[in-house]
Amino acid sequence: MQAVILVGGEGTRLRPLTSGIPKPIVTFVDRPFMAYMLQWLRGHGVDDVVMACGFLPDAVQAALGDGSDYGVRLTYLQEPEPRGTAGALKFAQDHLQERFLMLNGDVLTDVDVSAQIAQHERTGATATLGLVPVTDPSAYGLVLTQDDGAVTGFLEKPGPDQLGGIDEYLISAGIYVLERSVLDMIEPDQNVSIETQVWPALVGNGLYASADRSAYWLDIGTPQRYLQGTSDILAGNVTTQVLDRLTDGLAVTGDVADGATVIAPAIVEAGATVAAGATVGPGAVIGAGASVAAGATVERSIVLDGASVAADAVVRDAIVAPRATIGERTVVEQEAVLGEGTTVGADNVLSRGVKIFPGATVGDGAVRF
Ligand code: GDD
Ligand code: MG
């Protein structure tokens, strides 16, 4: 089976994590995000993957190579300029087979895509959208269906006046089974949106949907969801290969001093150090070569390669990019994101989603609430 994965967005909502690297290869727990998608797809018989790239394609290729690590063959395509979700598909047409999967490149999921393909074959659909339930559909594509799965309406990013005030909505999961004939609906060499220009035109015309109500599904495109995904992978709420590394929720190959506390689930990578009196976890990842000093706490957070957390600092519900340094007694919390190589001095409080851009410096006691 073939799949085309859209990896062309700039990932603006995940900045500064995505300031220098594209969203699909941002480190997620212990591997590039795309590794999860490729492993999941491989489990559903996908062996040939076309990566539809825009932003920084060389970095994606450098991180994922020819795909052999994941048991798939990867082909990289780069649009001359961002063509939108359908324009990117059209640009890939010479590489596409009669039937293939199309995926948004930012979904962490274990949706049963085999069941979706089986339904697609049964109904003879032109396109079958994978659906998942959410309570608030406003950031997604809301899909209305009949009992037989035929789609009766597609509303991308519905406003409050378009919602019915119900508890559960079915939204497009960014997972599609497509017949090649869909390509005939897309103008070449144009920026075209599959959500606003193709799906509405296919309603009543071969557009079906297949809901999976028991799967895990998350769009990882914001710091809050990045952290949610990290904690769900560690807790095993989504089936991934990370679980193979954990024993009783722990993988500790780094240097944890006597008198340090590590609470599962947690990962301390090789070359990382956790000093006596420090507490790591639950829900913590300490990357290779990172350090956590005495009295510091890291929980529900990821501290990436080579970053350092000084004595008595607190990192909670936060993302610390590679080689960032956090000074003594500084608190980094509430979805704060420190970009790569940032330097934060002592006695700061960085919280409420604050983003420090790569390489920036925050002096001692400079930010407090
Ligand atoms: N190649 C290429 N070119 N890829 C693109 C482009 C482009 O011009 N624009 C966006 N993409 C990729 C992004 O990298 C991402 O993987 C995917 O297309 C979807 O873009 P997002 O920007 O993440 O869209 P969204 O999350 O707001 O909404 C989409 O996903 C939802 C599910 O997560 C829509 O498809 C919704 O209908 C859907 O519910
Ligand atoms: Mg998205």
Side-chain angles (χ1 to χ4, degrees), residues 5-13 23-24 34 37 51-55 77 79 81-89 102-107 137 139-143 154-157 171-176 191-192 194-195 199 217-221 225:
I5 307 183
L6 296 183
V7 291
E10 284 187 50
T12 50
R13 290 165 294 184
K23 182 164 64 171
M34 192 49 57
M37 291 196 69
M51 303 290 278
C53 303
F55 186 60
L77 300 180
E79 299 141 54
E81 67 279 324
R83 289 274 169 86
T85 45
L89 184 69
M102 174 174 172
L103 303 116
N104 288 345
D106 61 354
V107 290
Y140 305 108
L142 174 63
V143 183
F154 189 100
L155 296 167
E156 182 65 14
K157 314 274 181 330
I171 55 124
S172 167
I175 305 166
Y176 323 124
N191 188 302
V192 184
I194 208 155
E195 293 87 350
W199 304 148
W217 182 89
L218 184 75
D219 175 322
I220 58 129
R225 295 199 226 118

Short mmCIF file of all heavy atoms in Angstrom, two decimals, residues 5-13 23-24 34 37 51-55 77 79 81-89 102-107 137 139-143 154-157 171-176 191-192 194-195 199 217-221 225, ligand 1:
data_model
loop_
_atom_site.label_atom_id
_atom_site.label_comp_id
_atom_site.label_asym_id
_atom_site.label_seq_id
_atom_site.Cartn_x
_atom_site.Cartn_y
_atom_site.Cartn_z
N ILE A 5 2.29 11.61 2.56
CA ILE A 5 2.18 12.35 3.83
C ILE A 5 2.52 13.81 3.57
O ILE A 5 3.57 14.12 3.01
CB ILE A 5 3.12 11.77 4.91
CG1 ILE A 5 2.89 10.26 5.07
CG2 ILE A 5 2.91 12.49 6.23
CD1 ILE A 5 3.73 9.62 6.17
N LEU A 6 1.62 14.69 4.01
CA LEU A 6 1.84 16.13 3.85
C LEU A 6 2.71 16.64 4.98
O LEU A 6 2.33 16.57 6.14
CB LEU A 6 0.51 16.88 3.91
CG LEU A 6 -0.49 16.58 2.80
CD1 LEU A 6 -1.72 17.46 2.99
CD2 LEU A 6 0.13 16.82 1.43
N VAL A 7 3.87 17.13 4.62
CA VAL A 7 4.77 17.64 5.64
C VAL A 7 5.25 19.04 5.27
O VAL A 7 6.37 19.43 5.58
CB VAL A 7 5.97 16.69 5.87
CG1 VAL A 7 5.51 15.41 6.53
CG2 VAL A 7 6.70 16.36 4.58
N GLY A 8 4.36 19.79 4.63
CA GLY A 8 4.79 21.08 4.07
C GLY A 8 4.47 22.30 4.89
O GLY A 8 4.89 23.40 4.55
N GLY A 9 3.72 22.14 5.97
CA GLY A 9 3.35 23.32 6.76
C GLY A 9 4.54 23.86 7.52
O GLY A 9 5.52 23.16 7.75
N GLU A 10 4.47 25.12 7.92
CA GLU A 10 5.59 25.72 8.64
C GLU A 10 5.58 25.41 10.12
O GLU A 10 6.54 25.67 10.83
CB GLU A 10 5.60 27.24 8.45
CG GLU A 10 6.10 27.65 7.10
CD GLU A 10 6.25 29.16 7.01
OE1 GLU A 10 6.86 29.75 7.91
OE2 GLU A 10 5.70 29.72 6.05
N GLY A 11 4.45 24.90 10.62
CA GLY A 11 4.39 24.56 12.04
C GLY A 11 4.47 25.78 12.93
O GLY A 11 5.07 25.74 14.01
N THR A 12 3.85 26.88 12.50
CA THR A 12 3.99 28.15 13.23
C THR A 12 3.53 28.05 14.68
O THR A 12 4.11 28.68 15.56
CB THR A 12 3.17 29.27 12.55
OG1 THR A 12 1.85 28.77 12.31
CG2 THR A 12 3.78 29.68 11.23
N ARG A 13 2.50 27.24 14.94
CA ARG A 13 1.97 27.18 16.31
C ARG A 13 2.90 26.45 17.26
O ARG A 13 2.75 26.51 18.47
CB ARG A 13 0.58 26.52 16.32
CG ARG A 13 -0.49 27.39 15.67
CD ARG A 13 -1.74 26.61 15.36
NE ARG A 13 -1.48 25.59 14.33
CZ ARG A 13 -2.41 24.80 13.79
NH1 ARG A 13 -3.65 24.88 14.19
NH2 ARG A 13 -2.08 23.92 12.86
N LYS A 23 8.15 20.63 11.65
CA LYS A 23 7.32 19.91 12.62
C LYS A 23 7.43 18.37 12.52
O LYS A 23 7.49 17.70 13.54
CB LYS A 23 5.87 20.39 12.45
CG LYS A 23 4.85 19.81 13.39
CD LYS A 23 3.55 20.62 13.42
CE LYS A 23 2.77 20.66 12.13
NZ LYS A 23 1.42 21.26 12.27
N PRO A 24 7.48 17.79 11.31
CA PRO A 24 7.47 16.33 11.24
C PRO A 24 8.68 15.66 11.88
O PRO A 24 8.63 14.47 12.19
CB PRO A 24 7.45 16.01 9.75
CG PRO A 24 7.25 17.28 9.05
CD PRO A 24 7.41 18.42 9.99
N MET A 34 7.88 11.91 12.96
CA MET A 34 7.44 11.11 11.82
C MET A 34 7.66 9.61 12.03
O MET A 34 6.96 8.78 11.44
CB MET A 34 8.15 11.59 10.56
CG MET A 34 7.61 11.08 9.24
SD MET A 34 5.82 11.22 8.99
CE MET A 34 5.54 12.96 9.21
N MET A 37 4.44 7.98 12.94
CA MET A 37 3.50 7.81 11.83
C MET A 37 3.94 6.66 10.92
O MET A 37 3.12 5.85 10.49
CB MET A 37 3.38 9.10 11.03
CG MET A 37 2.68 10.20 11.81
SD MET A 37 2.13 11.56 10.77
CE MET A 37 0.81 10.76 9.85
N MET A 51 6.75 11.65 0.66
CA MET A 51 6.73 12.78 1.59
C MET A 51 6.58 14.06 0.77
O MET A 51 7.49 14.43 0.01
CB MET A 51 8.04 12.84 2.38
CG MET A 51 8.38 11.58 3.15
SD MET A 51 7.27 11.33 4.53
CE MET A 51 8.03 12.40 5.70
N ALA A 52 5.44 14.72 0.93
CA ALA A 52 5.18 15.97 0.21
C ALA A 52 5.68 17.13 1.05
O ALA A 52 5.02 17.57 1.99
CB ALA A 52 3.68 16.10 -0.07
N CYS A 53 6.89 17.59 0.75
CA CYS A 53 7.59 18.56 1.60
C CYS A 53 7.44 19.97 1.09
O CYS A 53 7.28 20.22 -0.09
CB CYS A 53 9.09 18.26 1.63
SG CYS A 53 9.53 16.62 2.18
N GLY A 54 7.57 20.90 2.01
CA GLY A 54 7.66 22.31 1.64
C GLY A 54 8.84 22.88 2.38
O GLY A 54 9.96 22.93 1.90
N PHE A 55 8.57 23.23 3.61
CA PHE A 55 9.51 23.88 4.51
C PHE A 55 10.70 22.96 4.84
O PHE A 55 10.50 21.82 5.27
CB PHE A 55 8.69 24.20 5.77
CG PHE A 55 9.38 24.99 6.82
CD1 PHE A 55 9.86 26.26 6.56
CD2 PHE A 55 9.51 24.48 8.10
CE1 PHE A 55 10.46 27.00 7.56
CE2 PHE A 55 10.10 25.21 9.10
CZ PHE A 55 10.58 26.48 8.83
N LEU A 77 9.41 14.78 -2.19
CA LEU A 77 9.06 15.74 -3.24
C LEU A 77 9.00 17.11 -2.62
O LEU A 77 8.56 17.27 -1.49
CB LEU A 77 7.70 15.40 -3.84
CG LEU A 77 7.55 14.02 -4.48
CD1 LEU A 77 6.14 13.87 -5.03
CD2 LEU A 77 8.58 13.83 -5.59
N GLU A 79 7.52 20.96 -3.36
CA GLU A 79 6.77 21.89 -4.20
C GLU A 79 7.63 23.14 -4.44
O GLU A 79 8.37 23.55 -3.55
CB GLU A 79 5.48 22.32 -3.49
CG GLU A 79 4.52 21.20 -3.17
CD GLU A 79 3.86 21.37 -1.81
OE1 GLU A 79 3.27 22.44 -1.55
OE2 GLU A 79 3.98 20.43 -0.99
N GLU A 81 6.56 26.13 -4.51
CA GLU A 81 6.09 27.02 -3.44
C GLU A 81 4.96 26.27 -2.77
O GLU A 81 4.42 25.33 -3.36
CB GLU A 81 5.63 28.38 -3.98
CG GLU A 81 4.38 28.37 -4.84
CD GLU A 81 4.63 27.95 -6.30
OE1 GLU A 81 5.68 28.31 -6.85
OE2 GLU A 81 3.78 27.24 -6.85
N PRO A 82 4.58 26.63 -1.53
CA PRO A 82 3.52 25.86 -0.87
C PRO A 82 2.26 25.87 -1.73
O PRO A 82 1.78 26.92 -2.14
CB PRO A 82 3.31 26.61 0.44
CG PRO A 82 4.58 27.36 0.67
CD PRO A 82 5.09 27.71 -0.69
N ARG A 83 1.76 24.68 -2.02
CA ARG A 83 0.63 24.55 -2.92
C ARG A 83 -0.68 24.28 -2.19
O ARG A 83 -1.70 24.03 -2.83
CB ARG A 83 0.91 23.40 -3.91
CG ARG A 83 1.99 23.73 -4.93
CD ARG A 83 1.39 24.46 -6.11
NE ARG A 83 2.41 25.01 -7.00
CZ ARG A 83 3.00 24.33 -7.99
NH1 ARG A 83 2.70 23.08 -8.21
NH2 ARG A 83 3.89 24.93 -8.76
N GLY A 84 -0.64 24.23 -0.86
CA GLY A 84 -1.85 23.87 -0.13
C GLY A 84 -2.00 22.36 -0.10
O GLY A 84 -1.26 21.62 -0.75
N THR A 85 -2.97 21.88 0.68
CA THR A 85 -3.07 20.44 0.93
C THR A 85 -3.44 19.65 -0.34
O THR A 85 -2.94 18.54 -0.54
CB THR A 85 -4.08 20.17 2.05
OG1 THR A 85 -5.26 20.97 1.83
CG2 THR A 85 -3.50 20.52 3.41
N ALA A 86 -4.30 20.20 -1.20
CA ALA A 86 -4.63 19.49 -2.45
C ALA A 86 -3.58 19.76 -3.52
O ALA A 86 -3.23 18.86 -4.30
CB ALA A 86 -6.01 19.89 -2.95
N GLY A 87 -3.06 20.98 -3.55
CA GLY A 87 -2.03 21.32 -4.54
C GLY A 87 -0.79 20.44 -4.35
O GLY A 87 -0.15 20.04 -5.32
N ALA A 88 -0.47 20.13 -3.10
CA ALA A 88 0.68 19.26 -2.81
C ALA A 88 0.42 17.85 -3.34
O ALA A 88 1.32 17.20 -3.88
CB ALA A 88 0.94 19.22 -1.31
N LEU A 89 -0.82 17.39 -3.22
CA LEU A 89 -1.17 16.06 -3.74
C LEU A 89 -1.07 16.05 -5.26
O LEU A 89 -0.50 15.12 -5.85
CB LEU A 89 -2.60 15.71 -3.30
CG LEU A 89 -3.06 14.31 -3.70
CD1 LEU A 89 -2.31 13.26 -2.89
CD2 LEU A 89 -4.57 14.17 -3.51
N MET A 102 -3.67 9.18 2.06
CA MET A 102 -3.10 10.52 2.21
C MET A 102 -3.23 10.89 3.68
O MET A 102 -4.28 10.63 4.29
CB MET A 102 -3.85 11.51 1.34
CG MET A 102 -3.43 12.96 1.51
SD MET A 102 -4.29 13.99 0.31
CE MET A 102 -3.82 15.62 0.86
N LEU A 103 -2.18 11.49 4.23
CA LEU A 103 -2.20 11.81 5.66
C LEU A 103 -1.66 13.19 5.94
O LEU A 103 -0.68 13.62 5.31
CB LEU A 103 -1.33 10.80 6.42
CG LEU A 103 -1.80 9.38 6.18
CD1 LEU A 103 -0.73 8.59 5.48
CD2 LEU A 103 -2.24 8.72 7.44
N ASN A 104 -2.26 13.86 6.89
CA ASN A 104 -1.62 15.04 7.46
C ASN A 104 -0.41 14.58 8.25
O ASN A 104 -0.47 13.55 8.93
CB ASN A 104 -2.59 15.79 8.37
CG ASN A 104 -3.68 16.51 7.60
OD1 ASN A 104 -3.58 16.69 6.38
ND2 ASN A 104 -4.72 16.92 8.30
N GLY A 105 0.67 15.33 8.18
CA GLY A 105 1.91 14.87 8.79
C GLY A 105 2.07 15.22 10.25
O GLY A 105 3.19 15.20 10.76
N ASP A 106 0.99 15.50 10.94
CA ASP A 106 1.11 15.91 12.34
C ASP A 106 0.10 15.20 13.23
O ASP A 106 -0.33 15.76 14.23
CB ASP A 106 0.98 17.43 12.47
CG ASP A 106 -0.37 17.95 11.98
OD1 ASP A 106 -1.16 17.17 11.43
OD2 ASP A 106 -0.62 19.16 12.16
N VAL A 107 -0.25 13.96 12.87
CA VAL A 107 -1.19 13.24 13.73
C VAL A 107 -0.53 12.04 14.40
O VAL A 107 0.08 11.20 13.76
CB VAL A 107 -2.50 12.82 13.01
CG1 VAL A 107 -3.33 14.05 12.71
CG2 VAL A 107 -2.25 12.04 11.75
N PRO A 137 -14.97 20.89 17.92
CA PRO A 137 -14.46 20.70 16.55
C PRO A 137 -13.92 21.97 15.91
O PRO A 137 -13.53 21.95 14.74
CB PRO A 137 -15.72 20.24 15.81
CG PRO A 137 -16.83 20.96 16.49
CD PRO A 137 -16.42 21.11 17.94
N ALA A 139 -11.25 23.65 15.75
CA ALA A 139 -9.91 23.71 15.13
C ALA A 139 -9.75 22.67 14.03
O ALA A 139 -8.64 22.48 13.52
CB ALA A 139 -8.85 23.48 16.20
N TYR A 140 -10.84 21.99 13.65
CA TYR A 140 -10.72 20.85 12.75
C TYR A 140 -11.72 20.94 11.60
O TYR A 140 -12.47 21.92 11.47
CB TYR A 140 -10.97 19.56 13.54
CG TYR A 140 -10.08 19.41 14.74
CD1 TYR A 140 -10.58 19.55 16.03
CD2 TYR A 140 -8.72 19.15 14.58
CE1 TYR A 140 -9.75 19.43 17.14
CE2 TYR A 140 -7.88 19.02 15.67
CZ TYR A 140 -8.40 19.16 16.96
OH TYR A 140 -7.57 19.04 18.03
N GLY A 141 -11.76 19.88 10.80
CA GLY A 141 -12.77 19.76 9.76
C GLY A 141 -13.92 18.92 10.30
O GLY A 141 -13.75 17.75 10.61
N LEU A 142 -15.08 19.57 10.45
CA LEU A 142 -16.26 18.89 10.98
C LEU A 142 -16.95 18.14 9.85
O LEU A 142 -17.19 18.70 8.78
CB LEU A 142 -17.21 19.92 11.59
CG LEU A 142 -18.57 19.42 12.08
CD1 LEU A 142 -18.41 18.41 13.22
CD2 LEU A 142 -19.42 20.61 12.55
N VAL A 143 -17.26 16.85 10.10
CA VAL A 143 -17.83 16.01 9.04
C VAL A 143 -19.20 15.51 9.46
O VAL A 143 -19.37 14.98 10.56
CB VAL A 143 -16.89 14.82 8.73
CG1 VAL A 143 -17.44 13.98 7.58
CG2 VAL A 143 -15.48 15.32 8.39
N PHE A 154 -19.11 18.96 4.93
CA PHE A 154 -17.76 19.11 5.45
C PHE A 154 -17.54 20.59 5.74
O PHE A 154 -17.64 21.42 4.85
CB PHE A 154 -16.72 18.61 4.43
CG PHE A 154 -15.33 18.54 4.99
CD1 PHE A 154 -14.80 17.33 5.43
CD2 PHE A 154 -14.55 19.69 5.14
CE1 PHE A 154 -13.52 17.27 5.99
CE2 PHE A 154 -13.28 19.64 5.69
CZ PHE A 154 -12.77 18.42 6.11
N LEU A 155 -17.27 20.92 6.99
CA LEU A 155 -17.10 22.31 7.40
C LEU A 155 -15.72 22.47 8.03
O LEU A 155 -15.48 22.00 9.15
CB LEU A 155 -18.15 22.71 8.43
CG LEU A 155 -19.62 22.68 7.98
CD1 LEU A 155 -20.53 22.78 9.20
CD2 LEU A 155 -19.86 23.85 7.03
N GLU A 156 -14.81 23.12 7.31
CA GLU A 156 -13.46 23.29 7.85
C GLU A 156 -13.46 24.43 8.87
O GLU A 156 -13.93 25.53 8.60
CB GLU A 156 -12.47 23.57 6.71
CG GLU A 156 -11.02 23.73 7.13
CD GLU A 156 -10.37 22.45 7.71
OE1 GLU A 156 -10.95 21.36 7.55
OE2 GLU A 156 -9.31 22.57 8.33
N LYS A 157 -12.93 24.17 10.06
CA LYS A 157 -12.87 25.15 11.16
C LYS A 157 -14.22 25.83 11.37
O LYS A 157 -14.37 27.05 11.18
CB LYS A 157 -11.77 26.20 10.89
CG LYS A 157 -10.43 25.65 10.43
CD LYS A 157 -9.54 25.27 11.58
CE LYS A 157 -8.18 24.72 11.27
NZ LYS A 157 -7.81 23.99 10.14
N ILE A 171 -14.80 14.59 13.58
CA ILE A 171 -13.96 15.47 12.76
C ILE A 171 -13.04 14.62 11.88
O ILE A 171 -12.77 13.46 12.17
CB ILE A 171 -13.11 16.41 13.63
CG1 ILE A 171 -12.26 15.63 14.64
CG2 ILE A 171 -14.00 17.43 14.33
CD1 ILE A 171 -10.80 15.90 14.55
N SER A 172 -12.56 15.27 10.83
CA SER A 172 -11.60 14.61 9.95
C SER A 172 -10.28 14.45 10.68
O SER A 172 -9.71 15.41 11.20
CB SER A 172 -11.40 15.45 8.70
OG SER A 172 -10.26 14.97 8.00
N ALA A 173 -9.78 13.21 10.70
CA ALA A 173 -8.54 12.90 11.41
C ALA A 173 -7.31 13.19 10.56
O ALA A 173 -6.19 12.96 11.00
CB ALA A 173 -8.56 11.42 11.82
N GLY A 174 -7.50 13.66 9.34
CA GLY A 174 -6.35 13.88 8.45
C GLY A 174 -5.80 12.58 7.90
O GLY A 174 -4.60 12.46 7.63
N ILE A 175 -6.69 11.58 7.74
CA ILE A 175 -6.31 10.25 7.26
C ILE A 175 -7.31 9.88 6.16
O ILE A 175 -8.49 9.71 6.45
CB ILE A 175 -6.41 9.20 8.39
CG1 ILE A 175 -5.59 9.62 9.61
CG2 ILE A 175 -6.02 7.81 7.89
CD1 ILE A 175 -5.92 8.83 10.87
N TYR A 176 -6.85 9.82 4.92
CA TYR A 176 -7.78 9.62 3.81
C TYR A 176 -7.37 8.42 2.97
O TYR A 176 -6.18 8.21 2.73
CB TYR A 176 -7.80 10.85 2.88
CG TYR A 176 -7.68 12.19 3.58
CD1 TYR A 176 -6.67 13.08 3.23
CD2 TYR A 176 -8.57 12.57 4.58
CE1 TYR A 176 -6.55 14.33 3.85
CE2 TYR A 176 -8.45 13.81 5.21
CZ TYR A 176 -7.43 14.68 4.84
OH TYR A 176 -7.32 15.90 5.45
N ASN A 191 -2.38 26.83 -5.81
CA ASN A 191 -2.55 26.55 -4.39
C ASN A 191 -4.02 26.16 -4.17
O ASN A 191 -4.91 26.95 -4.40
CB ASN A 191 -2.19 27.79 -3.56
CG ASN A 191 -2.16 27.49 -2.08
OD1 ASN A 191 -3.15 27.06 -1.50
ND2 ASN A 191 -1.02 27.71 -1.45
N VAL A 192 -4.22 24.90 -3.80
CA VAL A 192 -5.59 24.39 -3.64
C VAL A 192 -5.70 23.67 -2.29
O VAL A 192 -4.80 22.91 -1.91
CB VAL A 192 -5.95 23.39 -4.78
CG1 VAL A 192 -7.41 22.94 -4.66
CG2 VAL A 192 -5.69 23.99 -6.16
N ILE A 194 -7.51 20.94 0.05
CA ILE A 194 -8.37 19.76 -0.05
C ILE A 194 -9.60 19.93 0.85
O ILE A 194 -10.69 19.47 0.53
CB ILE A 194 -7.57 18.47 0.26
CG1 ILE A 194 -8.22 17.30 -0.48
CG2 ILE A 194 -7.49 18.16 1.75
CD1 ILE A 194 -7.28 16.16 -0.79
N GLU A 195 -9.41 20.63 1.98
CA GLU A 195 -10.50 20.77 2.95
C GLU A 195 -11.60 21.70 2.45
O GLU A 195 -12.78 21.41 2.63
CB GLU A 195 -9.96 21.28 4.29
CG GLU A 195 -9.03 20.31 5.02
CD GLU A 195 -7.57 20.43 4.60
OE1 GLU A 195 -7.27 21.13 3.60
OE2 GLU A 195 -6.72 19.81 5.27
N TRP A 199 -13.17 18.46 -0.72
CA TRP A 199 -14.20 17.70 0.01
C TRP A 199 -15.61 18.25 -0.22
O TRP A 199 -16.51 17.47 -0.54
CB TRP A 199 -13.92 17.61 1.52
CG TRP A 199 -12.60 17.03 1.96
CD1 TRP A 199 -11.91 17.38 3.07
CD2 TRP A 199 -11.82 15.98 1.34
NE1 TRP A 199 -10.74 16.66 3.18
CE2 TRP A 199 -10.67 15.79 2.15
CE3 TRP A 199 -11.96 15.19 0.20
CZ2 TRP A 199 -9.68 14.84 1.83
CZ3 TRP A 199 -10.98 14.26 -0.11
CH2 TRP A 199 -9.87 14.10 0.70
N TRP A 217 -6.00 9.50 19.14
CA TRP A 217 -5.75 10.44 18.03
C TRP A 217 -5.43 11.81 18.60
O TRP A 217 -6.13 12.30 19.48
CB TRP A 217 -6.98 10.54 17.12
CG TRP A 217 -6.75 11.46 15.95
CD1 TRP A 217 -6.23 11.11 14.73
CD2 TRP A 217 -6.98 12.87 15.88
NE1 TRP A 217 -6.12 12.22 13.93
CE2 TRP A 217 -6.58 13.31 14.61
CE3 TRP A 217 -7.48 13.81 16.79
CZ2 TRP A 217 -6.67 14.64 14.20
CZ3 TRP A 217 -7.57 15.15 16.39
CH2 TRP A 217 -7.16 15.54 15.10
N LEU A 218 -4.37 12.44 18.08
CA LEU A 218 -3.99 13.78 18.55
C LEU A 218 -3.27 14.52 17.43
O LEU A 218 -2.32 14.00 16.85
CB LEU A 218 -3.05 13.65 19.75
CG LEU A 218 -2.63 14.95 20.43
CD1 LEU A 218 -3.75 15.53 21.27
CD2 LEU A 218 -1.41 14.70 21.32
N ASP A 219 -3.72 15.73 17.11
CA ASP A 219 -2.96 16.64 16.24
C ASP A 219 -1.94 17.32 17.15
O ASP A 219 -2.31 17.98 18.12
CB ASP A 219 -3.93 17.66 15.61
CG ASP A 219 -3.22 18.72 14.78
OD1 ASP A 219 -2.12 19.17 15.16
OD2 ASP A 219 -3.78 19.13 13.75
N ILE A 220 -0.65 17.14 16.83
CA ILE A 220 0.40 17.57 17.77
C ILE A 220 0.83 19.02 17.59
O ILE A 220 1.83 19.45 18.16
CB ILE A 220 1.66 16.69 17.61
CG1 ILE A 220 2.19 16.74 16.16
CG2 ILE A 220 1.38 15.27 18.04
CD1 ILE A 220 3.64 17.05 16.05
N GLY A 221 0.06 19.79 16.81
CA GLY A 221 0.55 21.09 16.35
C GLY A 221 0.60 22.26 17.31
O GLY A 221 0.84 23.38 16.86
N ARG A 225 -0.59 20.40 22.97
CA ARG A 225 -0.82 19.05 22.44
C ARG A 225 0.48 18.26 22.31
O ARG A 225 0.49 17.04 22.43
CB ARG A 225 -1.57 19.13 21.12
CG ARG A 225 -2.98 19.70 21.34
CD ARG A 225 -3.90 19.38 20.19
NE ARG A 225 -4.63 20.57 19.80
CZ ARG A 225 -4.54 21.13 18.60
NH1 ARG A 225 -3.75 20.62 17.68
NH2 ARG A 225 -5.23 22.20 18.33
N1 GDD B 1 3.22 19.85 1.22
C1 GDD B 1 2.42 20.71 1.83
N2 GDD B 1 2.14 21.92 1.24
N3 GDD B 1 1.89 20.38 3.04
C2 GDD B 1 1.09 21.28 3.65
C3 GDD B 1 0.77 22.54 3.11
C4 GDD B 1 1.35 22.87 1.81
O1 GDD B 1 1.14 23.94 1.24
N4 GDD B 1 -0.05 23.19 3.97
C5 GDD B 1 -0.24 22.38 5.02
N5 GDD B 1 0.45 21.22 4.85
C6 GDD B 1 0.49 20.07 5.74
C7 GDD B 1 0.91 20.39 7.18
O2 GDD B 1 2.30 20.21 7.33
C8 GDD B 1 0.13 19.34 7.97
O3 GDD B 1 0.85 18.11 8.04
C9 GDD B 1 -1.11 19.12 7.14
O4 GDD B 1 -0.83 19.61 5.83
C10 GDD B 1 -2.36 19.83 7.72
O5 GDD B 1 -2.04 21.19 7.93
P1 GDD B 1 -2.31 21.88 9.35
O6 GDD B 1 -1.86 23.29 9.22
O7 GDD B 1 -1.75 21.06 10.45
O8 GDD B 1 -3.89 21.85 9.36
P2 GDD B 1 -4.89 21.83 10.62
O9 GDD B 1 -4.36 20.97 11.69
O10 GDD B 1 -5.24 23.23 10.96
O11 GDD B 1 -6.23 21.14 9.95
C11 GDD B 1 -6.10 19.94 9.21
O12 GDD B 1 -5.95 18.81 10.06
C12 GDD B 1 -7.09 18.52 10.92
C13 GDD B 1 -6.75 17.29 11.70
O13 GDD B 1 -5.58 17.50 12.43
C14 GDD B 1 -7.38 19.77 8.34
O14 GDD B 1 -7.12 18.70 7.44
C15 GDD B 1 -8.61 19.47 9.17
O15 GDD B 1 -9.71 19.17 8.31
C16 GDD B 1 -8.38 18.28 10.08
O16 GDD B 1 -9.49 18.06 10.95
#
